[in-house]
Amino acid sequence: MLFSLIESSRSALASIIAHGLRSFLTTLGIVIGVASVIAVISVTQGMSSFIGDTFASLGSNSLTIQSYTPFEDQMKGIRARLTPEDMELIERRAEGIASITPVLFANRASQIKFGSQTAFSRIMGTTYAFQDVSQSYMSLGRFIAQSDNLTRRRVVIIGDKVRENLNMPDNPVNEYVDIGGEWFKIVGLMEAKGEIMGQSQDDIVLMPYNTMRSLQGNQARTDIQIQLSLSESAVLENVTAQLTTLLRNAHDLDSDEDDDFQIQTAEQLMETFDTVINMVTIVIGGIVSISLLVGGIGIMNIMLVSVTERTREIGICKAIGAKRHHILMQFLIEALLLSLLGGLIGLAIGYGLGTLISSSIPSFPPASIPLWSVALALGFSGFVGVLFGILPAAKAANLDPIDALRYE
Amino acid sequence: MALIELNGVTKYYEMGDQVVKALDGIDIDVEKNDYLAFIGSSGSGKSTMLNILGCLDKPSSGQYHLNGKNVESLDANELSEIRNLEIGFIFQSFNLLPRATALGNVMQPLVYRGIGHRKRKEMAMESLERVGLGDRVDHLPNQLSGGQRQRVAIARALVTHPSILLADEPTGNLDSQTTIEIMQLFDELHAEGHTLIVVTHEDEIAQHCHRVVEMKDGRVFNDSTTSSAAVTS
Ligand SMILES: Nc1ncnc2c1ncn2[C@@H]1O[C@H](COP(=O)(O)OP(=O)(O)OP(=O)(O)O)[C@@H](O)[C@H]1O
Ligand SMILES: [Mg+2]
């Protein structure tokens, strides 16, 4: 049995090579199917393992509350806001909160200068509690202290990306930077966190919350973000429900009005990413099964043609002693080899494509093909080959020797 | 018990409302180590006869016993096995595999016996040399002359050392010199104990054989054991 397998593979390979172009065109459906699945898997896998890593470091028991204005209201010029009073209210009334901090973003992407270097960065005003909420660690210097906030001290903490962009020395602590025409002293450098979806987590400048407010002229109409972390025993759902009730009351919302704020957890964010990735995978999976189906039909078609073409040959083989399984095996293996070949070519193209995609988008995670996807792709194309090869092979094996010999 | 026993064998082809009686009631026995020639005009049913003897075709009616076994009761795989092990068939139209070399063609029957590649090649080379084609083994059939193709076909039939050799016009494309060589080869095989059945148009070859069966319109017209039977060449 093994022996006739080797013999059949030998002649199947010979016949595939003899019809080189035709064989290639036949496998094109499989090639495209496998290439697209591998390309997508390599990109999404690289992405999701990366996202998983980043979110794990983000602290999964933290919440972000921000104002939310529906699009129709935005068009009418209405803007929902989250105020410092809202935060005070939560601080006073909500239970199960370990740390809470306001985050006030600079009105626009602000320029930072160091010597002759200029860079743009995300500038946020926040309090000492931010360190706990966001799980940030300092690599040099200190974080924002409570006294910094009370005295509106002109100090900043910078991310490593900012240091890099400004060509600062490895230790930037005690250097001064110019933000919006004011001088700030750098008191700390944060530990690098990496990127999420191509956005650096280290391109960030933190200053005391009150310093930021005074910088913005202490406007009454500030819109802040509130970040908080839950205490060990707190249940996420309960806290969220409590916060919702508090804020709805504070904002005088009727029961038929929608929330004018959003409460997000890091986990939710991660779930959203996962959902998107799963959706993409399912859609691509559908496309791939169709193209594999088409590829399979292509193989069946060419195998049927091949059986007809070689009817006389089959007759000759039977006349000199080929049994049913010899002929069956030969055509089945030919179909299998064709589709496996297509699978292999597809694998190579898909990997190339995936690498190309992830490397052409800056700061995109590198493509990775897990072994299971290679096995899946080859297994699937092999399955398609056998499935669609059976009919032509059986047709060949069942030919009557004398009829086949007489076939012109 | 004769090696081959045909009883009332017919082969009819229905062409529209007309019935062609290619074989029309054949009763014939062939003994082991017989050396038999079928002669007769074109269309008299010689090739049809050989196809049935070679287990390629089945009679429309009548019985064919080979080695005491009723061929009708055998399934496709068993017939394949008989063709592979017992019978060497030289076709009127050669029937070589077009994409295989001379060597490949001769090796092919051995594939179905499960013989390894090295041994197969050895046996095929031996067989090709026996028909004088040792220097053309890597040629494809379409790179060979008619006579060379015929010799490849003969080599293929011989390579399995079949007990029965069926040859349909084996010298039809050969010059007189090669014809003599091939007939000498057949004589040797006969002397070795093989059973030979040859279809031919040529009187010289028929005379070579020990028994001549003349066919006409699908019937045995004349069945004679020739004088040369006594004098083994
Ligand atoms: N497949 C077929 N369908 C219909 N008729 C056939 C078929 N095969 C053979 N015949 C007819 O059977 C008869 C015998 O044919 P066969 O080939 O046996 O002749 P032959 O004696 O070998 O002739 P030749 O010497 O020309 O080779 C012929 O009349 C032929 O037309
Ligand atoms: Mg004939």
Side-chain angles (χ1 to χ4, degrees):
Chain A
M1 196 59 194
L2 178 73
F3 172 78
S4 72
L5 219 69
I6 296 168
E7 287 306 324
S8 308
S9 314
R10 197 198 295 269
S11 57
L13 205 62
S15 129
I16 288 171
I17 293 168
H19 298 110
L21 181 64
R22 185 169 96 178
S23 303
F24 174 71
L25 291 177
T26 305
T27 59
L28 215 54
I30 304 269
V31 170
I32 292 169
V34 170
S36 48
V37 74
I38 291 297
V40 168
I41 285 178
S42 66
V43 170
T44 52
Q45 277 298 307
M47 214 150 80
S48 73
S49 71
F50 176 80
I51 287 170
D53 288 352
T54 342
F55 277 98
S57 71
L58 212 64
S60 59
N61 67 337
S62 67
L63 282 180
T64 303
I65 312 172
Q66 59 193 37
S67 62
Y68 169 71
T69 318
F71 187 67
E72 303 94 83
D73 286 359
Q74 279 182 33
M75 298 306 284
K76 292 183 211 150
I78 301 171
R79 280 228 157 260
R81 288 188 305 130
L82 219 53
T83 61
E85 290 73 37
D86 288 331
M87 197 195 94
E88 274 166 40
L89 181 78
I90 291 169
E91 232 177 334
R92 258 188 293 120
R93 304 270 300 275
E95 284 159 15
I97 291 168
S99 318
I100 183 164
T101 180
V103 176
L104 183 56
F105 286 93
N107 291 344
R108 47 187 170 273
S110 316
Q111 236 181 12
I112 310 165
K113 285 187 203 153
F114 175 73
S116 59
Q117 286 292 324
T118 319
F120 286 90
S121 184
R122 227 153 30 111
I123 301 180
M124 295 154 64
T126 188
T127 66
Y128 72 98
F130 185 83
Q131 184 171 19
D132 181 39
V133 170
S134 68
Q135 311 252 307
S136 310
Y137 301 96
M138 305 306 295
S139 79
L140 289 167
R142 62 172 179 85
F143 201 72
I144 297 166
Q146 211 156 2
S147 61
D148 294 332
N149 203 25
L150 293 172
T151 58
R152 296 177 189 177
R153 205 168 279 154
R154 304 264 159 126
V155 293
V156 288
I157 313 289
I158 62 170
D160 199 54
K161 186 82 180 169
V162 178
R163 184 193 61 77
E164 211 181 295
N165 289 347
L166 288 175
N167 273 344
M168 287 183 146
D170 284 347
N171 182 357
V173 174
N174 294 331
E175 302 285 351
Y176 283 82
V177 287
D178 175 330
I179 299 175
E182 311 267 356
W183 287 101
F184 286 81
K185 183 181 175 183
I186 296 173
V187 293
L189 176 71
M190 285 196 287
E191 219 168 61
K193 273 187 172 179
E195 302 174 341
I196 293 182
M197 297 298 292
Q199 204 172 31
S200 174
Q201 297 293 103
D202 304 314
D203 189 7
I204 189 174
V205 175
L206 302 178
M207 63 172 71
Y209 172 70
N210 284 334
T211 314
M212 176 66 98
R213 286 207 67 181
S214 68
L215 220 61
Q216 293 183 352
N218 286 319
Q219 306 154 303
R221 300 177 60 81
T222 38
D223 179 21
I224 64 167
Q225 232 186 48
I226 302 168
Q227 295 199 359
L228 52 87
S229 62
L230 304 184
S231 56
E232 290 286 321
S233 58
V235 180
L236 182 72
E237 284 72 31
N238 297 349
V239 176
T240 317
Q242 204 184 17
L243 291 175
T244 307
T245 318
L246 274 175
L247 286 175
R248 285 186 68 90
N249 284 340
H251 291 189
D252 284 329
L253 294 178
D254 292 337
S255 55
D256 61 334
E257 283 179 292
D258 290 329
D259 292 348
D260 61 353
F261 53 87
Q262 267 182 336
I263 304 177
Q264 279 182 327
T265 63
E267 246 162 55
Q268 268 174 346
L269 229 66
M270 193 167 151
E271 271 164 25
T272 314
F273 278 123
D274 272 357
T275 320
V276 170
I277 284 173
N278 286 344
M279 283 265 287
V280 170
T281 310
I282 288 168
V283 168
I284 292 295
I287 295 171
V288 165
S289 10
I290 291 171
S291 76
L292 281 182
L293 185 77
V294 172
I297 293 172
I299 285 184
M300 178 155 77
N301 184 35
I302 225 64
M303 290 307 296
L304 283 171
V305 169
S306 177
V307 168
T308 309
E309 265 179 8
R310 280 143 68 180
T311 300
R312 255 182 84 90
E313 269 178 66
I314 295 163
I316 294 168
C317 289
K318 289 203 148 187
I320 59 177
K323 291 185 182 170
R324 282 194 73 240
H325 74 261
H326 288 120
I327 307 288
L328 190 84
M329 209 53 114
Q330 162 151 13
F331 281 90
L332 210 54
I333 285 182
E334 195 169 322
L336 181 73
L337 276 184
L338 262 180
S339 54
L340 279 183
L341 222 64
L344 277 175
I345 298 174
L347 203 67
I349 295 179
Y351 182 62
L353 224 62
T355 314
L356 201 74
I357 291 170
S358 16
S359 63
S360 66
I361 301 173
S363 70
F364 210 78
S368 81
I369 326 185
L371 211 60
W372 62 260
S373 72
V374 175
L376 191 81
L378 291 184
F380 222 68
S381 45
F383 172 72
V384 165
V386 171
L387 186 73
F388 288 92
I390 281 176
L391 183 77
K395 193 185 161 198
N398 289 336
L399 282 174
D400 187 60
I402 195 76
D403 290 342
L405 275 176
R406 286 208 184 103
Y407 184 85
E408 296 286 325
Chain B
M1 182 192 68
L3 176 65
I4 288 170
E5 290 178 15
L6 297 188
N7 295 308
V9 166
T10 65
K11 185 71 189 177
Y12 296 159
Y13 294 106
E14 278 174 43
M15 313 292 289
D17 43 30
Q18 201 190 341
V19 177
V20 179
K21 296 178 175 177
L23 294 179
D24 192 14
I26 304 277
D27 299 292
I28 202 171
D29 287 0
V30 180
E31 296 296 335
K32 204 162 160 37
N33 201 20
D34 222 338
Y35 196 173
L36 183 151
F38 280 111
I39 59 169
S41 56
S42 182
S44 57
K46 306 183 295 293
S47 293
T48 310
M49 181 78 184
L50 225 53
N51 286 340
I52 287 175
L53 291 179
C55 297
L56 279 171
D57 211 351
K58 287 195 168 179
S60 304
S61 67
Q63 241 110 71
Y64 171 22
H65 285 87
L66 176 65
N67 264 327
K69 253 185 280 178
N70 189 351
V71 170
E72 203 181 350
S73 67
L74 303 175
D75 69 17
N77 278 346
E78 288 167 323
L79 291 174
S80 281
E81 198 164 299
I82 288 180
R83 287 195 295 269
N84 189 242
L85 297 177
E86 308 283 344
I87 295 168
F89 210 118
I90 302 164
F91 295 93
Q92 193 167 11
S93 49
F94 317 142
N95 279 336
L96 299 178
L97 295 168
R99 292 180 297 129
T101 61
L103 185 65
N105 265 287
V106 179
M107 282 161 69
Q108 195 65 24
L110 303 174
V111 169
Y112 305 125
R113 282 196 183 180
I115 293 174
H117 189 264
R118 186 190 294 267
K119 176 81 178 146
R120 254 176 10 224
K121 194 167 173 181
E122 208 174 278
M123 291 170 76
M125 283 303 297
E126 198 182 308
S127 189
L128 279 163
E129 265 153 24
R130 204 164 178 186
V131 297
L133 264 185
D135 55 340
R136 289 283 188 280
V137 295
D138 289 328
H139 288 232
L140 292 172
N142 62 12
Q143 297 164 337
L144 293 170
S145 74
Q148 286 168 335
R149 273 183 240 181
Q150 187 140 38
R151 282 186 280 166
V152 174
I154 294 170
R156 183 178 64 187
L158 295 182
V159 76
T160 56
H161 301 296
S163 58
I164 306 169
L165 193 71
L166 303 173
D168 201 345
E169 308 264 5
T171 56
N173 290 278
L174 301 181
D175 58 71
S176 56
Q177 179 54 38
T178 324
T179 301
I180 291 168
E181 282 169 25
I182 294 298
M183 289 319 293
Q184 272 170 359
L185 184 62
F186 282 10
D187 291 346
E188 278 171 39
L189 292 168
H190 176 243
E192 285 167 21
H194 297 258
T195 308
L196 282 89
I197 300 175
V198 184
V199 169
T200 185
H201 275 122
E202 294 164 64
D203 282 344
E204 293 160 46
I205 292 169
Q207 276 159 21
H208 224 83
C209 301
H210 299 183
R211 180 179 169 196
V212 177
V213 176
E214 189 181 352
M215 297 194 56
K216 196 174 181 185
D217 299 329
R219 290 167 187 271
V220 175
F221 181 69
N222 191 6
D223 186 346
S224 63
T225 305
T226 61
S227 51
S228 68
V231 215
T232 309
S233 41

